[in-house]
Amino acid sequence: MKRRVLVATGGGDCPGLNAVIRGVVKRASQERDWEVVGSYQAFNGVLREPMELIVLNEEKVSGIHVKGGTIIGTTNKGGPFAWPVKEKDGTWGSVDRSDEMLRKLQYQNIEAVINIGGDGSQSISQRLYEKGLNIIGVPKTIDNDLAGTDFTFGFQTAVEIATDAVDKLVTTAESHNRIFILEVMGRDAGWIALHSAIAGGAEVCLIPEIPYSVDSIMERIHERIVFGRGFLIIVIAEGAMPVGGDVVAEELDEVGYAHKHLGGAASRLKKELKDAGCESDVRVTILGHLQRGGIPNAYDRILATQFGVKAMEMVLDEDYGKMVAYKHPNIVGLPIKDVIATYNRIGPDDQLVKTARGIGMNLGD
Ligand code: F6P
């Protein structure tokens, strides 16, 4: 009987997930005694009855590095420590099924697990590791907010999509002498916003790390738009907020969804600008999930493949409790407990902030 490693993808999907899976399977197939098993929708595949597990061989992963999404599905709800259950009164609660999951993995002869996911998934990895599971984490998110790694895969693709949107908005804004506000993802980090604003040449970029003042933005509008002539592009991160304000978010009523759903920062800013006397036409574009859909770019395919190969090599070395990370020029393993202790957000003296200021970009302060 072959030794078995389980692969799971958790959290929001992200371009490059399939390339990681393929990297794991291709590396494992070079070892005669190992077999890779995929769990459907994160660990749900293990927890459901009957289990939803699929053996992943080279044939199954052939060519998938080019495809977006994940062939084994994902979820950002529930998980082994908070499995949703309906209470007698009809409300939803949760139960800890982690011990049961470990037993099921043992029963399936699963020796090790590779958990591909963001901060939430890696916190689950650490808790499972502390319970004795042989686990390796792989950092995934378009937001690039995971600590320890120079980049997460999926981020560069999201930046490219957002930059393409800025490029397209420039031509229509210029033609109509309009202001466009482009809202991009990123949760509490402004990486996608700042990268795409610099790449696309936006005049204003508002990120969660720097609360904005409407007066400062109005000043820039007055400089750029004179007698109704001129245009302006503002890139705003979904987690951006005015000085003294908060994020725009709604609590989702989806069962097991533990996060706030961010969205609406651009519309709020439009209203703030109008209230401050802005006379130009202001239009809002929300890029949303277009940033996570579709094919990964070449950079993300390569990074994700490197992560997949390294994760399998760490399994072979029994180097557990670690997350794969990119530390230029190397792919390394770092203790999961260290990387989940903090977030990767943009610092006030970050080189990218300096560059943005250096080209005269208004950051809202
Ligand atoms: O973390 C990735 C991300 O796409 C964020 O940028 C965004 O806030 C969030 O996930 C949205 O998640 P979903 O719509 O899948 O709940």
Side-chain angles (χ1 to χ4, degrees):
M1 174 133 190
K2 287 199 172 190
R3 302 175 72 180
R4 306 182 100 194
V5 55
L6 181 117
V7 174
T9 52
D13 71 325
C14 172
L17 283 167
N18 285 325
V20 180
I21 297 169
R22 176 174 168 273
V24 170
V25 172
K26 283 204 170 270
R27 182 63 189 84
S29 66
Q30 291 174 23
E31 308 294 316
R32 269 201 236 122
D33 51 342
W34 278 91
E35 173 175 77
V36 182
V37 179
S39 169
Y40 183 63
Q41 284 194 322
F43 293 118
N44 290 2
V46 183
L47 291 163
R48 282 191 189 132
E49 283 304 339
M51 286 195 245
E52 292 178 87
L53 304 181
I54 169 181
V55 173
L56 297 168
N57 52 25
E58 279 202 276
E59 198 188 329
K60 288 247 170 50
V61 300
S62 171
I64 64 166
H65 58 299
V66 181
K67 285 176 69 178
T70 157
I71 60 161
I72 50 176
T74 187
T75 178
N76 42 20
K77 298 172 194 160
F81 293 98
W83 184 262
V85 281
K86 203 163 201 169
E87 309 287 5
K88 281 194 188 103
D89 63 2
T91 60
W92 284 90
S94 65
V95 290
D96 182 346
R97 292 184 63 195
S98 57
D99 287 331
E100 180 194 344
M101 188 177 104
L102 296 185
R103 278 195 304 274
K104 287 179 116 179
L105 288 174
Q106 230 171 9
Y107 182 71
Q108 286 292 321
N109 275 316
I110 307 273
E111 227 177 279
V113 169
I114 295 175
N115 192 19
I116 312 166
D119 54 325
S121 303
Q122 298 317 335
S123 298
I124 292 174
S125 299
Q126 178 60 22
R127 291 178 74 182
L128 291 170
Y129 178 64
E130 283 165 14
K131 279 180 158 266
L133 187 68
N134 294 333
I135 196 160
I136 302 290
V138 178
K140 163 247 59 155
T141 170
I142 62 164
D143 304 337
N144 200 41
D145 60 354
L146 269 162
T149 185
D150 290 354
F151 288 114
T152 51
F153 67 87
F155 169 67
Q156 303 287 354
T157 302
V159 169
E160 243 175 61
I161 293 166
T163 303
D164 183 49
V166 175
D167 292 347
K168 285 177 171 141
L169 292 178
V170 164
T171 56
T172 176
E174 196 170 15
S175 308
H176 285 267
N177 293 306
R178 278 177 173 154
I179 295 171
F180 269 87
I181 308 175
L182 174 68
E183 181 175 314
V184 299
M185 282 184 166
R187 294 206 74 84
D188 302 322
W191 295 111
I192 298 176
L194 196 49
H195 274 79
S196 59
I198 292 174
E203 286 73 31
V204 179
C205 178
L206 307 175
I207 58 175
E209 294 89 340
I210 304 177
Y212 63 84
S213 124
V214 175
D215 290 348
S216 163
I217 304 164
M218 284 300 287
E219 242 175 68
R220 180 54 58 96
I221 290 173
H222 289 313
E223 281 163 24
R224 286 276 305 181
I225 303 181
V226 180
F227 297 120
R229 289 293 178 94
F231 71 98
L232 187 111
I233 305 289
I234 302 174
V235 177
I236 186 168
E238 61 181 1
M241 62 195 92
V243 175
D246 203 353
V247 294
V248 188
E250 55 175 333
E251 300 286 341
L252 285 193
D253 56 3
E254 293 175 11
V255 176
Y257 190 93
H259 306 286
K260 279 183 186 167
H261 183 236
L262 297 178
S267 301
R268 172 173 66 183
L269 178 64
K270 174 179 172 175
K271 184 168 181 314
E272 288 166 339
L273 294 178
K274 286 292 167 189
D275 290 348
C278 174
E279 287 175 354
S280 304
D281 284 352
V282 182
R283 294 288 195 270
V284 164
T285 300
I286 300 170
L287 215 43
H289 294 78
L290 290 175
Q291 290 157 99
R292 346 199 280 226
I295 59 170
N297 68 7
Y299 184 95
D300 283 333
R301 289 181 207 180
I302 296 164
L303 187 62
T305 304
Q306 286 182 292
F307 280 0
V309 168
K310 178 71 178 177
M312 189 58 213
E313 280 172 353
M314 285 162 71
V315 169
L316 298 175
D317 293 342
E318 300 185 7
D319 195 11
Y320 298 120
K322 292 195 176 161
M323 186 187 83
V324 178
Y326 171 42
K327 283 278 176 204
H328 184 77
N330 299 313
I331 306 293
V332 298
L334 301 173
I336 300 172
K337 69 169 175 0
D338 294 347
V339 295
I340 58 170
T342 169
Y343 281 100
N344 176 28
R345 300 183 76 206
I346 302 176
D349 296 323
D350 195 285
Q351 187 56 55
L352 213 58
V353 170
K354 288 184 184 155
T355 301
R357 295 197 197 281
I359 54 170
M361 186 180 290
N362 177 301
L363 298 179
D365 54 350

PDB file of all heavy atoms in Angstrom, residues 19 65 153 296-308 331:
ATOM      1  N   ALA A  19      -2.138  25.053  -9.991  1.00  0.00           N
ATOM      2  CA  ALA A  19      -0.703  24.873 -10.270  1.00  0.00           C
ATOM      3  C   ALA A  19       0.010  24.313  -9.040  1.00  0.00           C
ATOM      4  O   ALA A  19       0.956  23.525  -9.170  1.00  0.00           O
ATOM      5  CB  ALA A  19      -0.075  26.196 -10.699  1.00  0.00           C
ATOM      6  N   HIS A  65      -2.439  23.630 -14.483  1.00  0.00           N
ATOM      7  CA  HIS A  65      -1.769  24.847 -13.989  1.00  0.00           C
ATOM      8  C   HIS A  65      -2.263  26.103 -14.698  1.00  0.00           C
ATOM      9  O   HIS A  65      -2.108  27.203 -14.201  1.00  0.00           O
ATOM     10  CB  HIS A  65      -0.251  24.711 -14.155  1.00  0.00           C
ATOM     11  CG  HIS A  65       0.193  24.456 -15.557  1.00  0.00           C
ATOM     12  ND1 HIS A  65      -0.197  23.348 -16.278  1.00  0.00           N
ATOM     13  CD2 HIS A  65       0.969  25.190 -16.380  1.00  0.00           C
ATOM     14  CE1 HIS A  65       0.336  23.400 -17.472  1.00  0.00           C
ATOM     15  NE2 HIS A  65       1.040  24.510 -17.569  1.00  0.00           N
ATOM     16  N   PHE A 153       0.917  33.483  -4.093  1.00  0.00           N
ATOM     17  CA  PHE A 153       0.523  33.322  -5.500  1.00  0.00           C
ATOM     18  C   PHE A 153      -0.917  33.827  -5.666  1.00  0.00           C
ATOM     19  O   PHE A 153      -1.696  33.814  -4.709  1.00  0.00           O
ATOM     20  CB  PHE A 153       0.684  31.860  -5.963  1.00  0.00           C
ATOM     21  CG  PHE A 153      -0.267  30.903  -5.306  1.00  0.00           C
ATOM     22  CD1 PHE A 153      -1.529  30.682  -5.826  1.00  0.00           C
ATOM     23  CD2 PHE A 153       0.089  30.228  -4.148  1.00  0.00           C
ATOM     24  CE1 PHE A 153      -2.419  29.820  -5.217  1.00  0.00           C
ATOM     25  CE2 PHE A 153      -0.780  29.358  -3.522  1.00  0.00           C
ATOM     26  CZ  PHE A 153      -2.044  29.163  -4.057  1.00  0.00           C
ATOM     27  N   PRO A 296      -4.345  32.068 -14.113  1.00  0.00           N
ATOM     28  CA  PRO A 296      -3.222  32.727 -13.448  1.00  0.00           C
ATOM     29  C   PRO A 296      -2.204  33.213 -14.483  1.00  0.00           C
ATOM     30  O   PRO A 296      -2.033  32.556 -15.515  1.00  0.00           O
ATOM     31  CB  PRO A 296      -2.624  31.609 -12.575  1.00  0.00           C
ATOM     32  CG  PRO A 296      -3.097  30.328 -13.158  1.00  0.00           C
ATOM     33  CD  PRO A 296      -4.361  30.603 -13.911  1.00  0.00           C
ATOM     34  N   ASN A 297      -1.552  34.332 -14.201  1.00  0.00           N
ATOM     35  CA  ASN A 297      -0.503  34.773 -15.126  1.00  0.00           C
ATOM     36  C   ASN A 297       0.742  33.895 -14.955  1.00  0.00           C
ATOM     37  O   ASN A 297       0.786  33.029 -14.068  1.00  0.00           O
ATOM     38  CB  ASN A 297      -0.192  36.266 -14.961  1.00  0.00           C
ATOM     39  CG  ASN A 297       0.479  36.592 -13.631  1.00  0.00           C
ATOM     40  OD1 ASN A 297       0.840  35.713 -12.869  1.00  0.00           O
ATOM     41  ND2 ASN A 297       0.655  37.863 -13.368  1.00  0.00           N
ATOM     42  N   ALA A 298       1.734  34.140 -15.805  1.00  0.00           N
ATOM     43  CA  ALA A 298       2.923  33.274 -15.805  1.00  0.00           C
ATOM     44  C   ALA A 298       3.608  33.302 -14.440  1.00  0.00           C
ATOM     45  O   ALA A 298       4.011  32.256 -13.912  1.00  0.00           O
ATOM     46  CB  ALA A 298       3.880  33.718 -16.908  1.00  0.00           C
ATOM     47  N   TYR A 299       3.718  34.496 -13.860  1.00  0.00           N
ATOM     48  CA  TYR A 299       4.408  34.633 -12.567  1.00  0.00           C
ATOM     49  C   TYR A 299       3.751  33.734 -11.516  1.00  0.00           C
ATOM     50  O   TYR A 299       4.421  32.998 -10.792  1.00  0.00           O
ATOM     51  CB  TYR A 299       4.378  36.098 -12.106  1.00  0.00           C
ATOM     52  CG  TYR A 299       5.155  36.338 -10.843  1.00  0.00           C
ATOM     53  CD1 TYR A 299       6.471  36.780 -10.887  1.00  0.00           C
ATOM     54  CD2 TYR A 299       4.584  36.086  -9.589  1.00  0.00           C
ATOM     55  CE1 TYR A 299       7.198  36.973  -9.724  1.00  0.00           C
ATOM     56  CE2 TYR A 299       5.301  36.277  -8.417  1.00  0.00           C
ATOM     57  CZ  TYR A 299       6.613  36.725  -8.495  1.00  0.00           C
ATOM     58  OH  TYR A 299       7.320  36.907  -7.338  1.00  0.00           O
ATOM     59  N   ASP A 300       2.429  33.819 -11.434  1.00  0.00           N
ATOM     60  CA  ASP A 300       1.728  33.036 -10.407  1.00  0.00           C
ATOM     61  C   ASP A 300       1.780  31.534 -10.688  1.00  0.00           C
ATOM     62  O   ASP A 300       1.811  30.725  -9.755  1.00  0.00           O
ATOM     63  CB  ASP A 300       0.281  33.515 -10.277  1.00  0.00           C
ATOM     64  CG  ASP A 300       0.203  34.813  -9.492  1.00  0.00           C
ATOM     65  OD1 ASP A 300       1.089  35.055  -8.656  1.00  0.00           O
ATOM     66  OD2 ASP A 300      -0.738  35.603  -9.727  1.00  0.00           O
ATOM     67  N   ARG A 301       1.781  31.165 -11.967  1.00  0.00           N
ATOM     68  CA  ARG A 301       1.910  29.730 -12.291  1.00  0.00           C
ATOM     69  C   ARG A 301       3.251  29.202 -11.799  1.00  0.00           C
ATOM     70  O   ARG A 301       3.348  28.095 -11.255  1.00  0.00           O
ATOM     71  CB  ARG A 301       1.843  29.507 -13.806  1.00  0.00           C
ATOM     72  CG  ARG A 301       0.478  29.740 -14.381  1.00  0.00           C
ATOM     73  CD  ARG A 301       0.503  29.483 -15.870  1.00  0.00           C
ATOM     74  NE  ARG A 301      -0.533  30.264 -16.524  1.00  0.00           N
ATOM     75  CZ  ARG A 301      -0.760  30.250 -17.821  1.00  0.00           C
ATOM     76  NH1 ARG A 301      -0.019  29.512 -18.612  1.00  0.00           N
ATOM     77  NH2 ARG A 301      -1.726  30.975 -18.329  1.00  0.00           N
ATOM     78  N   ILE A 302       4.284  30.026 -11.984  1.00  0.00           N
ATOM     79  CA  ILE A 302       5.634  29.585 -11.590  1.00  0.00           C
ATOM     80  C   ILE A 302       5.733  29.514 -10.063  1.00  0.00           C
ATOM     81  O   ILE A 302       6.166  28.505  -9.502  1.00  0.00           O
ATOM     82  CB  ILE A 302       6.703  30.548 -12.166  1.00  0.00           C
ATOM     83  CG1 ILE A 302       6.691  30.493 -13.699  1.00  0.00           C
ATOM     84  CG2 ILE A 302       8.099  30.193 -11.635  1.00  0.00           C
ATOM     85  CD1 ILE A 302       7.399  31.644 -14.371  1.00  0.00           C
ATOM     86  N   LEU A 303       5.296  30.601  -9.386  1.00  0.00           N
ATOM     87  CA  LEU A 303       5.383  30.634  -7.914  1.00  0.00           C
ATOM     88  C   LEU A 303       4.574  29.481  -7.306  1.00  0.00           C
ATOM     89  O   LEU A 303       5.033  28.787  -6.386  1.00  0.00           O
ATOM     90  CB  LEU A 303       4.883  31.983  -7.402  1.00  0.00           C
ATOM     91  CG  LEU A 303       5.050  32.239  -5.905  1.00  0.00           C
ATOM     92  CD1 LEU A 303       6.532  32.235  -5.500  1.00  0.00           C
ATOM     93  CD2 LEU A 303       4.407  33.572  -5.498  1.00  0.00           C
ATOM     94  N   ALA A 304       3.369  29.280  -7.840  1.00  0.00           N
ATOM     95  CA  ALA A 304       2.508  28.221  -7.308  1.00  0.00           C
ATOM     96  C   ALA A 304       3.138  26.844  -7.537  1.00  0.00           C
ATOM     97  O   ALA A 304       3.072  25.961  -6.666  1.00  0.00           O
ATOM     98  CB  ALA A 304       1.127  28.292  -7.972  1.00  0.00           C
ATOM     99  N   THR A 305       3.759  26.652  -8.682  1.00  0.00           N
ATOM    100  CA  THR A 305       4.429  25.372  -8.960  1.00  0.00           C
ATOM    101  C   THR A 305       5.587  25.169  -7.991  1.00  0.00           C
ATOM    102  O   THR A 305       5.776  24.072  -7.433  1.00  0.00           O
ATOM    103  CB  THR A 305       4.937  25.333 -10.426  1.00  0.00           C
ATOM    104  OG1 THR A 305       3.825  25.567 -11.291  1.00  0.00           O
ATOM    105  CG2 THR A 305       5.574  23.994 -10.769  1.00  0.00           C
ATOM    106  N   GLN A 306       6.337  26.251  -7.759  1.00  0.00           N
ATOM    107  CA  GLN A 306       7.451  26.152  -6.801  1.00  0.00           C
ATOM    108  C   GLN A 306       6.936  25.781  -5.409  1.00  0.00           C
ATOM    109  O   GLN A 306       7.524  24.956  -4.713  1.00  0.00           O
ATOM    110  CB  GLN A 306       8.197  27.493  -6.728  1.00  0.00           C
ATOM    111  CG  GLN A 306       9.056  27.777  -7.947  1.00  0.00           C
ATOM    112  CD  GLN A 306       9.799  29.096  -7.783  1.00  0.00           C
ATOM    113  OE1 GLN A 306       9.200  30.161  -7.771  1.00  0.00           O
ATOM    114  NE2 GLN A 306      11.101  29.025  -7.660  1.00  0.00           N
ATOM    115  N   PHE A 307       5.830  26.407  -5.014  1.00  0.00           N
ATOM    116  CA  PHE A 307       5.238  26.119  -3.695  1.00  0.00           C
ATOM    117  C   PHE A 307       4.802  24.650  -3.606  1.00  0.00           C
ATOM    118  O   PHE A 307       5.016  23.984  -2.590  1.00  0.00           O
ATOM    119  CB  PHE A 307       4.023  27.022  -3.444  1.00  0.00           C
ATOM    120  CG  PHE A 307       4.373  28.429  -2.980  1.00  0.00           C
ATOM    121  CD1 PHE A 307       5.689  28.836  -2.815  1.00  0.00           C
ATOM    122  CD2 PHE A 307       3.366  29.348  -2.712  1.00  0.00           C
ATOM    123  CE1 PHE A 307       5.997  30.129  -2.383  1.00  0.00           C
ATOM    124  CE2 PHE A 307       3.669  30.647  -2.280  1.00  0.00           C
ATOM    125  CZ  PHE A 307       4.983  31.030  -2.104  1.00  0.00           C
ATOM    126  N   GLY A 308       4.178  24.157  -4.671  1.00  0.00           N
ATOM    127  CA  GLY A 308       3.679  22.770  -4.667  1.00  0.00           C
ATOM    128  C   GLY A 308       4.818  21.772  -4.543  1.00  0.00           C
ATOM    129  O   GLY A 308       4.764  20.835  -3.731  1.00  0.00           O
ATOM    130  N   ILE A 331      12.808  29.351  -1.973  1.00  0.00           N
ATOM    131  CA  ILE A 331      11.532  28.895  -1.422  1.00  0.00           C
ATOM    132  C   ILE A 331      11.891  28.145  -0.143  1.00  0.00           C
ATOM    133  O   ILE A 331      12.666  27.182  -0.182  1.00  0.00           O
ATOM    134  CB  ILE A 331      10.777  27.956  -2.406  1.00  0.00           C
ATOM    135  CG1 ILE A 331      10.610  28.611  -3.789  1.00  0.00           C
ATOM    136  CG2 ILE A 331       9.417  27.558  -1.835  1.00  0.00           C
ATOM    137  CD1 ILE A 331       9.709  29.814  -3.849  1.00  0.00           C
TER     138      ILE A 331
END
